[in-house]
Every structure is written in structure tokens, then in C-alpha cells.
Amino acid sequence: MQSAPRWRLFWQRRVVLSVLAMALVFAAWRLGAFETFGSTDRVHALIDSWGAWAYVLYVATFVVLMPFGIPAFMWVLPAGILWPFWVAYPLSLLAVAGG
């Protein structure tokens, strides 16, 4: 009995993980986890309620996830929308240097 080729196992794992990720996102959507992000006013209120931790979380996720191939504009664009330029630019510059 011959085992499956290595590439087939790789793609099977990838498909299973993709389906699992989509199922988790769908479950979160059905449970209302994304309702806060329906309007910019609610997002601003949420970010403001975190205080300085919002900046720390922004820089930390940027630095950790950027090396995995997620493009920088995925963070720079929302930062430009959420915060004024004088806040968004230094945070993005610090995070890009860290990433």
C-alpha cells in the first residue's frame, strides 16, 4: 500500500484549514460579532474606549502579521480613517520599521 503524495496531503490540510476558517467567520457573523463594525461612529467609540491600548494593539498586530505577507495597506488605510494624520503616520512608520 502506497501513501498519498506529499503535495496532496499539503493541499488537503490547506483546504481543511480554509473551510474551518470560513466556518468560524460565518459563526462569528451569525452570532453578531461584527455588528460593532457596521458604522464608523461605533468603531470610533470602541477604539476611543481602549485608550492607549488601541495604539499598542495596532502596532503589535502590524509588526507580527506583516512578515507573513499581509500587505501594509491593510493597516495604514484603516489607521488613516480612524485617527488623525499626526497619530496615524507615526504609528504606521513605527510599525513598518518593526515589521
Side-chain angles (χ1 to χ4, degrees):
M1 183 169 194
Q2 189 174 7
S3 64
R6 196 174 180 102
W7 63 270
R8 181 173 286 159
L9 291 175
F10 172 74
W11 282 105
Q12 286 174 347
R13 282 189 212 142
R14 193 172 224 178
V15 168
V16 168
L17 288 174
S18 297
V19 169
L20 180 63
M22 287 188 290
L24 288 173
V25 169
F26 179 74
W29 173 67
R30 292 293 292 169
L31 293 172
F34 301 122
E35 288 180 12
T36 302
F37 303 103
S39 74
T40 55
D41 293 334
R42 285 191 270 178
V43 173
H44 279 280
L46 177 67
I47 298 288
D48 289 341
S49 72
W50 291 348
W53 286 108
Y55 307 136
V56 172
L57 182 64
Y58 171 77
V59 172
T61 57
F62 202 144
V63 167
V64 169
L65 295 176
M66 190 177 166
F68 289 106
I70 299 174
F73 78 88
M74 295 294 287
W75 284 278
V76 174
L77 184 64
I81 293 170
L82 289 173
W83 296 306
F85 176 78
W86 60 271
V87 173
Y89 182 74
L91 285 175
S92 298
L93 189 61
L94 176 70
V96 166

